[in-house]
Amino acid sequence: DVRAIRRRLNLTQKAFAKLFGFSAAAVRDWEQRRRRPEASARVLLKIIDRDPESVVRALASSGGDGVNLDKD
């Protein structure tokens, strides 16, 4: 469930989309069940669900914006 993953990370739809490379419209459509994520997006969402910090590190090392998920 995309909404549950995003809420657990305490991110807005826009921030979640930007951090993980999705469009904000896609995140909105997935959460409202208008569209189902494609297979590759489902794989990435599963990894985000299990280990979001690893995804953030991987994206940061490939030119991401360096945002972290620390709750402090």
Side-chain angles (χ1 to χ4, degrees):
D1 179 29
V2 177
R3 179 174 285 150
I5 296 168
R6 179 182 60 77
R7 285 185 173 169
R8 193 174 62 254
L9 296 175
N10 197 31
L11 295 169
T12 64
Q13 287 179 344
K14 185 176 179 180
F16 183 86
K18 181 177 180 182
L19 182 61
F20 295 113
F22 303 120
S23 74
V27 172
R28 183 179 56 248
D29 286 348
W30 297 338
E31 289 189 6
Q32 294 176 357
R33 302 197 188 276
R34 286 189 284 215
R35 288 183 22 211
R36 184 172 187 235
E38 297 290 328
S40 57
R42 287 195 306 271
V43 170
L44 181 55
L45 288 163
K46 184 175 278 196
I47 298 167
I48 293 167
D49 187 32
R50 293 184 181 175
D51 192 2
E53 289 83 8
S54 290
V55 178
V56 170
R57 280 193 309 273
L59 293 173
S61 70
S62 66
D65 63 9
V67 174
N68 68 48
L69 297 173
D70 292 336
K71 300 274 194 294
D72 299 315

